[in-house]
Amino acid sequence: ADVTVKFASAFASPEIAEYQAIAAFKDFVESRSGGEIEIKLFAQSLGGDREMFEQVQQGSLEMSFPADGAIAGFYPPVQVLSIPYAVPSSTVAWRLFESDFMKGLTDDMREQTGVRTLALSESGFRSMSNNVRTIKTPEDMVGLKMRTMESPVFMELMRSLGSVPTPLPATEIVISLKQGVVDGQENPIPTIANSGIGEVQKFVSADEHVLGVQFVITNDEWWNGLEAKHQQILKDGSILLAQLSQATKQAQMDEAIAKLEGMGTEVYINSLAEKRMFRDVAQPGVRAYIEGLLGTEIVADYLAAVDLATEQVYGN
Amino acid sequence: MVGEQMNFLNGYSRLVRGVDQWALNLAAAMLLAIVCVNALSIFFRYVVEAPLSWSEEAMRYGNIWVTYLGAIAAQVRSDHMRLELPYASHPTMGQVLRLFGAAAAIVLALFLVWLGTRGALAALGQRSPSARIPMSLPYAAVPLAGIGILLAAGYSFLCALRRVEEVR
Amino acid sequence: MPVVIGAFILFLLLGLPLAYAFGLAGLWGIHETGLNLKVVPTRLITTIDSMTLLAAPFYILAGEIMNAAGITDRLVLLSRRIVGGIRGATAYANVLASIFFSGISGSSVADTAALGQIFVHGMAREGYSRAFSSAVTVASAIIGPIIPPSITAVIYSAITGVSVISLFVAGVVPGLLFGLACFAVIFVKGRRGGLPEPQRVADDGTPTWRLLIDGLAVLSLPVVIVWGTVGGVFTPTEAGGVACLHALLLGVFVFRSITLKSFWTGLQNAARSSATVFFLVAMVSLASYVLIIEGIGSITQILQIWFADQPVRFMLGSVGLLLVLGMFLEPTIIIIVFIPLLTPVARNLGIDDVHFAMVAILTLTMGMITPPVGINLFIILRIAKIGMLPLLRELSAFLVAEFVVILLIILVPALSVWLPNLLT
Ligand code: NA
Ligand code: NA
């Protein structure tokens, strides 16, 4: 092969949407380039998202597929994506990815970090689960002990809702829920269904508080040294990867809900009106934190871009 | 002439022992600090019901410093695990191995200084996600350990060269 | 890949510490394969930057504090009192002391070093051979990293994501079984007349109730860890920190023997031991980086095809592989380099994560007392001042008995999985 691409990711299990999308990317690129490009996949073996981003930045890895949370340390502005209850649906998120705002954000990230974004993919909204009650409105969150990542954004979100945020490592979520260290946690619904969390939770509520975004990234310097035709194939492949991943995730959503219900877990889908109540209670605190971090301008621009995308998708 | 060299070696050995003491005491203090932060974190979660958002990162980075400070002391005190070689007791072979061991430690230390400095500089713009600690802070432990190991291994090399016992 | 492996073996034979041999072989391999050297500091920091791993220094420190409090001697006295005057009493007491000691120590090296001095010389005075005394000591010392707390379990958890709490709890029964296996070997040897008549041993006359309180105080440490984590009061990592404070309180109020100076020395010792473990992990990560990039991961697919639908055969194969690797390498290294290749296969074969982990940990721990490179053997040989061959002659029966325990745990998953499922 003329070009070898080391592509590392955190996804090792063949049932996962991201894994399937990355495998499709490999097939697509290798066959379209007639074997001129070889994709070497590394699953879960070269560290976490943060470490893989750093390796792409160095040029040690050519490509990776990290989540927004891990990028924040290298490029803080991506944290605007974590403003809770900002994006109303997946379709709006997909539209948002095409916006001038996101293009500006990823261009700026490339200039600041040397890491180029080839495509964006929605990795699902995070939702609440717990063992105490069905979460319909913000009042239902009051007093619950909720496991979160040790992240100011998520801890502030829980505090705003009147819950007690409890940072715990991911490996101990299931056991902590079983033991009642915490009442609940928050994750995308497919994760709740497939990671064993669902088996130890009675109530899942699709409040869809924070949008998860994954970046198909590459080292910019390396990219600029590629032939145009190879760039084209890799770009096409990346878009395929991103779209396939988010589409498969959507398709797996019903399966995940059915699986949860099969375990005896109640799945409640919050209405738009309820989500608006959540937004009014939980957004200001996190928004203030993020504005303190990044300034008011970028937050306003982001929310305007979301409004525009919403309008484009649903009309008025 | 020989006396001067011995004087120099004596001074050097005092320097190495000083570095060892500093590194070890700092590492011990850091470990104690980690234990305290841990206690604080549990206290804030259960008693105050307002969990800290920086404790985990602080402990993790503290432990990185314990590791690399401790690695300096480990070089000085030969703490690291190694094979027991039957031929190491042979006088000539023993001398060769001693020189090689010190030289290899010097090479490794030089890499730690060089690459570690580059890593710390590259991390200048990066901050930890929760506590917003500059990532250069944990990264700086590597080149520092490199300097300490270099000093200690340099002393071992000179002692091996002059065929004298190391003073520890 | 051959460069890294070749360089590593060469460096080892030239007497470099394992950590340096891995580091230099890794650097050489990264250069040789045309990889980017910038990745070196990233590997050196991120591999040890783990909340799970942070439990290790805590447990090392807790053990050091208990040591500084003079706990070892009390445990030995207590074990002797419990065993009484039966034939082979001190040999049984040796094993029993290790079981107690494993509740405060997370590593077999600490156990061998602490109990070896006392028992090898003490047993020799009673007429036991030094070789047999050494064999009992190391065979029972490996209970240390099996009964909680366990440094090996912490590292295993950090690498595979299996819950530390589950691994801790799962270790209790197998750890006790290892103890039983040692008892059985001693019993058989005694029956055949291979043990000296029991003798009066030095005893400082401390009242038994006082020793029992001390013993209970020691056992309260693993109980606090397991109760606290299983009961959901704190995370396994936090439990380590709590264990340190608990040990400190015991040292100050129950044993009343800890001083500011001995506490500080304990901190220094813990920092040193923990640093050597973590430095090794960091250095291994350089070599493993090259192996991963060069495609060592494809072994997983090959294994998957070989062992399709054959879980027991896969477990036996893994045990064989880990035993052979364990003869030459430290558990930490094997966990970092090889366990990630085996666990996906185990998962696909439907083997319980905790079950596979326990089998692997037991096998790797046995590697600490198998020739040619079992680290505990070297420690005990230095203490007992005997040769390797006489030691191995006495040790072989223990190795066989412990291997039978491993086979039992492979065939009866409940032995390792039942307790964690019950408690958690
Ligand atoms: Na233990
Ligand atoms: Na023992």
Side-chain angles (χ1 to χ4, degrees):
Chain A
D2 303 342
V3 179
T4 305
V5 179
K6 296 192 288 293
F7 189 127
S9 80
F11 308 102
S13 164
E15 300 90 64
I16 300 179
E18 289 91 339
Y19 179 97
Q20 297 165 4
I22 292 169
F25 166 80
K26 175 181 161 76
D27 290 343
F28 175 87
V29 171
E30 288 183 345
S31 73
R32 284 301 162 98
S33 66
E36 286 178 13
I37 304 178
E38 184 196 1
I39 309 287
K40 279 181 146 179
L41 297 183
F42 299 94
Q44 254 180 9
S45 54
L46 291 176
D49 276 352
R50 207 204 69 83
E51 186 175 357
M52 290 187 281
F53 187 97
E54 191 163 298
Q55 291 181 46
V56 170
Q57 189 177 33
Q58 295 160 348
S60 309
L61 276 175
E62 282 75 32
M63 289 182 74
S64 186
F65 191 40
D68 53 343
I71 300 176
F74 300 86
Y75 183 66
V78 297
Q79 287 179 87
V80 287
L81 302 174
S82 301
I83 295 178
Y85 306 104
V87 179
S89 70
S90 296
T91 12
V92 171
W94 302 349
R95 185 77 216 193
L96 178 70
F97 294 162
E98 313 290 320
S99 68
D100 288 343
F101 175 83
M102 289 306 286
K103 185 169 184 325
L105 190 80
T106 50
D107 281 349
D108 187 49
M109 180 171 110
R110 192 183 69 225
E111 279 157 28
Q112 303 288 329
T113 64
V115 174
R116 173 187 287 264
T117 305
L118 293 175
L120 295 167
S121 181
E122 183 232 344
S123 60
F125 287 87
R126 304 177 74 93
S127 288
M128 307 286 184
S129 73
N130 80 100
N131 276 330
V132 179
R133 54 184 165 255
T134 309
I135 306 296
K136 292 182 177 165
T137 63
E139 289 89 76
D140 296 322
M141 290 292 292
V142 176
L144 295 184
K145 280 187 110 176
M146 298 290 290
R147 179 269 167 183
T148 67
M149 295 175 275
E150 194 187 55
S151 138
V153 168
F154 284 92
M155 293 175 72
E156 181 56 44
L157 167 65
M158 291 304 171
R159 270 194 287 267
S160 303
L161 290 168
S163 310
V164 181
T166 306
L168 291 173
T171 46
E172 309 303 326
I173 297 179
V174 174
I175 212 155
S176 312
L177 290 168
K178 234 181 198 175
Q179 295 306 318
V181 189
V182 286
D183 301 312
Q185 60 88 51
E186 50 83 48
N187 254 308
I189 285 181
T191 309
I192 298 176
N194 297 324
S195 62
I197 297 173
E199 284 160 49
V200 290
Q201 293 275 264
K202 294 197 188 91
F203 307 98
V204 172
S205 300
D207 70 309
E208 308 196 314
H209 45 270
V210 170
L211 170 70
V213 183
Q214 271 169 304
F215 290 59
V216 183
I217 55 167
T218 184
N219 179 290
D220 193 44
E221 207 183 314
W222 172 80
W223 176 265
N224 290 328
L226 290 176
E227 285 177 48
K229 60 171 183 179
H230 291 158
Q231 286 181 344
Q232 183 70 46
I233 295 170
L234 285 167
K235 179 86 184 171
D236 286 344
S238 300
I239 293 170
L240 171 76
L241 190 173
Q243 308 241 346
L244 188 57
S245 174
Q246 62 194 13
T248 314
K249 270 204 128 85
Q250 281 296 317
Q252 288 177 348
M253 187 65 148
D254 284 344
E255 227 174 283
I257 291 175
K259 188 170 172 186
L260 283 169
E261 285 170 342
M263 296 168 189
T265 308
E266 179 201 287
V267 181
Y268 178 78
I269 311 288
N270 295 80
S271 71
L272 277 174
E274 286 165 352
K275 283 194 201 172
R276 245 174 262 129
M277 291 166 71
F278 272 105
R279 187 189 60 196
D280 294 343
V281 176
Q283 208 178 61
V286 180
R287 185 175 166 171
Y289 170 79
I290 289 177
E291 283 176 342
L293 216 58
L294 307 173
T296 49
E297 195 187 335
I298 186 172
V299 173
D301 288 352
Y302 170 67
L303 293 175
V306 173
D307 285 344
L308 181 64
T310 312
E311 208 179 290
Q312 287 167 337
V313 172
Y314 299 118
N316 295 312
Chain B
M1 189 63 196
V2 173
E4 259 172 44
Q5 285 179 353
M6 287 318 287
N7 268 341
F8 171 73
L9 268 187
N10 280 339
Y12 198 169
S13 87
R14 272 198 300 278
L15 173 71
V16 170
R17 274 175 294 165
V19 168
D20 167 70
Q21 277 306 312
W22 267 96
L24 197 54
N25 283 323
L26 271 175
M30 195 74 84
L31 187 54
L32 183 60
I34 296 172
V35 174
C36 294
V37 170
N38 180 66
L40 214 62
S41 154
I42 299 176
F43 177 80
F44 270 86
R45 191 166 73 229
Y46 279 101
V47 184
V48 188
E49 290 225 332
L52 305 174
S53 62
W54 50 268
S55 53
E56 189 184 311
E57 278 177 0
M59 286 193 277
R60 277 177 9 222
Y61 299 149
N63 186 46
I64 289 173
W65 273 88
V66 173
T67 300
Y68 286 102
L69 286 168
I72 299 175
Q75 165 67 27
V76 176
R77 293 152 187 254
S78 294
D79 276 343
H80 291 300
M81 205 184 309
R82 65 183 87 215
L83 293 192
E84 307 245 329
L85 303 168
Y87 45 82
S89 48
H90 183 276
T92 321
M93 198 60 199
Q95 172 70 5
V96 171
L97 293 185
R98 204 175 151 197
L99 277 171
F100 176 78
I106 290 173
V107 172
L108 183 68
L110 285 172
F111 271 107
L112 293 183
V113 176
W114 173 44
L115 296 171
T117 308
R118 275 174 61 178
L121 291 177
L124 268 178
Q126 225 192 97
R127 277 170 185 274
S128 71
S130 304
R132 317 277 313 143
I133 298 169
M135 287 303 288
S136 291
L137 218 59
Y139 273 91
V142 175
L144 198 90
I147 293 171
I149 295 172
L150 187 62
L151 274 173
Y155 172 67
S156 303
F157 190 78
L158 288 182
C159 286
L161 211 58
R162 301 212 54 80
R163 293 169 183 263
V164 292
E165 282 293 308
E166 291 178 33
V167 182
R168 287 197 176 118
Chain C
M1 202 176 304
V3 172
V4 177
I5 298 168
F8 170 66
I9 293 173
L10 178 72
F11 290 150
L12 274 192
L13 294 179
L14 285 169
L16 288 195
L18 257 71
Y20 291 11
F22 271 113
L24 287 168
L27 285 167
W28 193 346
I30 290 172
H31 172 75
E32 190 69 29
T33 13
L35 296 167
N36 193 333
L37 277 171
K38 281 184 192 165
V39 81
V40 171
T42 304
R43 297 289 288 179
L44 292 183
I45 294 297
T46 44
T47 34
I48 59 171
D49 180 14
S50 142
M51 198 56 191
T52 310
L53 279 181
L54 186 58
F58 283 152
Y59 291 122
I60 294 172
L61 178 59
E64 283 291 340
I65 295 173
M66 291 293 233
N67 245 340
I71 187 75
T72 318
D73 300 333
R74 325 284 286 184
L75 285 183
V76 170
L77 266 181
L78 175 64
S79 309
R80 285 196 165 132
R81 290 273 177 86
I82 292 175
V83 171
I86 55 172
R87 182 189 289 274
T90 313
Y92 290 115
N94 186 334
V95 177
L96 195 60
S98 277
I99 294 176
F100 283 130
F101 199 78
S102 65
I104 57 169
S105 133
S107 89
S108 59
V109 171
D111 190 327
T112 306
L115 295 174
Q117 284 292 351
I118 301 172
F119 276 107
V120 170
H121 300 303
M123 287 171 73
R125 275 195 297 274
E126 290 177 46
Y128 292 88
S129 77
R130 283 178 174 272
F132 179 72
S133 321
S134 306
V136 182
T137 304
V138 291
S140 57
I142 61 172
I143 299 170
I146 296 168
I147 288 179
S150 161
I151 309 297
T152 312
V154 166
I155 294 171
Y156 194 100
S157 164
I159 297 290
T160 60
V162 179
S163 154
V164 192
I165 304 172
S166 303
L167 292 183
F168 274 11
V169 177
V172 174
V173 174
L176 294 176
L177 285 178
F178 263 22
L180 276 181
C182 292
F183 286 147
V185 174
I186 298 168
F187 180 77
V188 171
K189 193 169 170 78
R191 264 306 186 67
R192 292 182 179 165
L195 296 177
E197 288 298 319
Q199 294 181 3
R200 286 219 150 273
V201 287
D203 193 315
D204 67 357
T206 314
T208 303
W209 64 265
R210 174 72 222 188
L211 286 178
L212 277 174
I213 288 181
D214 290 354
L216 287 177
V218 170
L219 285 181
S220 70
L221 194 88
V223 169
V224 165
I225 294 167
V226 170
W227 165 80
T229 47
V230 169
V233 187
F234 26 71
T235 68
T237 306
E238 289 172 343
V242 172
C244 294
L245 296 177
H246 184 75
L248 194 58
L249 289 178
L250 288 180
V252 172
F253 294 108
V254 180
F255 304 108
R256 290 189 216 129
S257 47
I258 205 157
T259 62
L260 211 57
K261 192 171 180 317
S262 64
F263 174 59
W264 190 254
T265 311
L267 273 171
Q268 287 184 330
N269 289 343
R272 275 169 67 190
S273 324
S274 146
T276 47
V277 173
F278 279 77
F279 191 71
L280 179 65
V281 170
M283 289 296 148
V284 172
S285 80
L286 296 183
S288 75
Y289 178 73
V290 182
L291 298 180
I292 292 165
I293 295 283
E294 292 286 283
I296 197 176
S298 54
I299 290 176
T300 303
Q301 278 97 52
I302 298 171
L303 290 177
Q304 230 137 28
I305 296 166
W306 274 7
F307 290 101
D309 302 322
Q310 301 277 0
V312 172
R313 199 176 286 178
F314 173 71
M315 290 267 242
L316 291 172
S318 300
V319 165
L321 175 73
L322 296 177
L323 267 182
V324 173
L325 290 170
M327 288 176 178
F328 302 96
L329 295 169
E330 240 259 287
T332 310
I333 297 162
I334 301 172
I335 292 173
I336 298 173
V337 180
F338 296 96
I339 291 295
L341 306 174
L342 299 178
T343 36
V345 187
R347 268 178 207 157
N348 276 349
L349 286 170
I351 301 169
D352 185 283
D353 270 352
V354 173
H355 185 205
F356 186 75
M358 257 355 273
V359 171
I361 289 173
L362 290 168
T363 313
L364 291 178
T365 308
M366 255 185 87
M368 304 284 281
I369 57 164
T370 50
V373 198
I375 175 87
N376 288 293
L377 300 181
F378 294 116
I379 299 173
I380 205 70
L381 290 181
R382 219 175 295 152
I383 293 173
K385 301 195 176 63
I386 52 170
M388 180 72 96
L389 282 179
L391 171 62
L392 291 182
R393 219 167 288 139
E394 294 290 354
L395 186 60
S396 52
F398 290 99
L399 288 177
V400 170
E402 285 172 342
F403 188 68
V404 170
V405 171
I406 294 179
L407 289 181
L408 208 66
I409 284 165
I410 292 177
L411 297 174
V412 189
L415 290 174
S416 49
V417 185
W418 170 75
L419 196 57
N421 283 348
L422 181 79
L423 288 180
T424 59

